[in-house]
Amino acid sequence: MEVITLTGVTDSATAKGEQTRELILSTALRLFREQGYGKTTMRAIANEAGVSVGNAYYYYGSKDHLMQAYYDLLQDQHREAVEPILATEKAFVPRMTGVLRTWLDVSAPYHEFAGTFFKTAADPRSPLSPFSEESRPARDASVEIFRRVIDGSDLKLAADLKTELPELLWLLQMGVVLFWVHDQSEDVRRSRALIDRAVPLVDRLLRLTRIPGVRGVTTDIVTLINSIKP
Amino acid sequence: MEVITLTGVTDSATAKGEQTRELILSTALRLFREQGYGKTTMRAIANEAGVSVGNAYYYYGSKDHLMQAYYDLLQDQHREAVEPILATEKAFVPRMTGVLRTWLDVSAPYHEFAGTFFKTAADPRSPLSPFSEESRPARDASVEIFRRVIDGSDLKLAADLKTELPELLWLLQMGVVLFWVHDQSEDVRRSRALIDRAVPLVDRLLRLTRIPGVRGVTTDIVTLINSIKP
DNA sequence: CCCCACTCTTGAACATGTTCAAATCTTATG
DNA sequence: CATAAGATTTGAACATGTTCAAGAGTGGGG
């Protein structure tokens, strides 16, 4: 049997398996969206996909791994959706605001079960932890977005700050995510408000770093952050 | 049957039950400490305590509730352990540093299973979430500590900042906790280093707020924080 | 065409958090 | 004391994530 895979490569050895893998993942994501993570059982996923429970475990080591796969998908979507903004906007505030709002948009369908997601992510031993080794590729890709936000903008920054800022903005995004997870307002209005008000503040803060008395503290903060990295 | 309870009140109606409740909790905490949260089963707890599984559930609605109970205990211990520092130290830096280091000390025996703890706490629907309604008493008590840290210190602050600062310091503690959970260094040396370097920085930042150009941004930050509170 | 090695699939079995109806114990009241 | 009402306790049953030994399918080499 020969099947054309998504990458266009013909690979008769694994084609069948890949099809099953994708079938299981897409079924799982649909059920997660429809009924939430907690209420979706592995049996239901297997059932709906027309395979056995054991088969699902052959491809995904645990229910969490299915979520990890979803997370990777989300990151990809965000990266894509953000391109128009990075290409168009030139000022820091709209660039950053756009990137964060886009994240909300992309993640919207999953808000309902996001709680469970971040519950798992908070466990330092979980591969889903944003600080884990397994998440490094996704995290690096995310930080890269923020590097582009800065590089393409009108911000004038000291060299050391410019190096660290992408990671700091990534941390800010983590904060927004944390707020969003807890946000029960209609249409996550409050999360949007937070973004719209916080980003201009960050902008002002960054411009403050040019004041002599402030510069020293900034340097020290950057140094501290560097020292606590693993 | 009549039993003297911990509070010294004789209460024959509930005395027996309270004894069982305490027996279950202490047994659970011991097992958590000895083998970690994940490896401690409800059956093991019941077994070790000499009661039935259902009995444990009669007093604690879930395994998580046993952890919640532990958390409350921890808070109490911290509050007590912090008194000498608040009574002795007068400068902001040693006061704040002392409070944070004490938290590390009190929590040390549970570092091994802290990951699981904060995993549960990260779920916004969990009663253990530091932002949940159920946690309000513990949170308020914790914020109160930081209010005292500020009030008893030599800091000179604008009124609005002084009102919000306790909660901000509480947030800083949450950050330290997050770092600590992930900290695998021997004797959590890195967490201690973080505290020792971060607190003086906070001190300098707070003194900066008196510079005219900085004052405005500070006010706006305080306003923003107020606006995102529930 | 046959067979070996490998991939893939199955479903029963297991572990553990949780529920619940029934049994037992305790206390207040006549 | 006898009894009803309520508190406490029990253990079997249930739901669901996970494991695993065995079977089925597949493809290349002889």
Side-chain angles (χ1 to χ4, degrees), chain B residues 106-152:
Chain B
V106 168
S107 308
Y110 299 91
H111 185 242
E112 192 261 333
F113 86 89
T116 319
F117 178 75
F118 287 98
K119 164 180 171 161
T120 312
D123 187 339
R125 283 157 307 188
S126 163
L128 272 98
S129 164
F131 305 106
S132 78
E133 209 42 53
E134 285 95 330
S135 295
R136 180 177 293 278
R139 183 172 64 248
D140 285 350
S142 193
V143 170
E144 170 66 12
I145 292 178
F146 293 112
R147 197 191 55 70
R148 290 175 61 200
V149 166
I150 298 162
D151 280 355

Side-chain angles (χ1 to χ4, degrees), chain A residues 119-153:
Chain A
K119 164 179 171 161
T120 312
D123 186 339
R125 283 157 306 188
S126 161
L128 272 97
S129 165
F131 307 105
S132 78
E133 209 41 54
E134 286 94 330
S135 294
R136 180 177 291 278
R139 183 172 64 248
D140 284 350
S142 193
V143 170
E144 170 65 12
I145 292 178
F146 293 112
R147 196 190 54 68
R148 290 176 61 199
V149 166
I150 298 162
D151 280 355
S153 82

Side-chain angles (χ1 to χ4, degrees), chain B residues 51-122:
Chain B
V51 301
S52 67
V53 195
N55 201 197
Y57 277 93
Y58 181 75
Y59 291 104
Y60 297 93
S62 73
K63 198 180 172 185
D64 285 354
H65 280 76
L66 282 165
M67 199 144 59
Q68 167 78 288
Y70 143 68
Y71 184 66
D72 293 345
L73 220 62
L74 203 66
Q75 293 290 111
D76 278 347
Q77 279 182 257
H78 183 227
R79 221 168 306 144
E80 244 180 77
V82 126
E83 283 305 333
I85 296 164
L86 293 182
T88 320
E89 301 290 351
K90 287 302 162 210
F92 172 74
V93 171
R95 278 172 87 83
M96 184 70 189
T97 305
V99 166
L100 292 180
R101 296 195 89 147
T102 303
W103 192 90
L104 290 191
D105 292 339
V106 168
S107 308
Y110 299 91
H111 185 242
E112 192 261 333
F113 86 89
T116 319
F117 178 75
F118 287 98
K119 164 180 171 161
T120 312

Side-chain angles (χ1 to χ4, degrees), chain A residues 115-116 119 122-125 129 131 179 181-182 190 194 197 201 204 208 216-217 220 223-224 227-229, chain B residues 115-116 119 122-125 129 131 179 181-182 190 194 197 201 204 208 213 216-217 220 223-224 227-229:
Chain A
T116 319
K119 164 179 171 161
D123 186 339
R125 283 157 306 188
S129 165
F131 307 105
F179 186 83
V181 167
H182 288 78
R190 304 189 66 223
L194 172 61
R197 299 190 57 182
L201 260 177
R204 286 176 62 192
L208 274 187
V217 188
D220 287 356
T223 309
L224 172 59
S227 82
I228 67 176
K229 276 192 226 162
Chain B
T116 319
K119 164 180 171 161
D123 187 339
R125 283 157 307 188
S129 164
F131 305 106
F179 187 84
V181 166
H182 288 79
R190 303 189 66 221
L194 171 62
R197 301 189 58 183
L201 259 178
R204 284 175 63 192
L208 274 187
V217 188
D220 287 358
T223 309
L224 172 60
S227 80
I228 67 174
K229 276 193 223 157

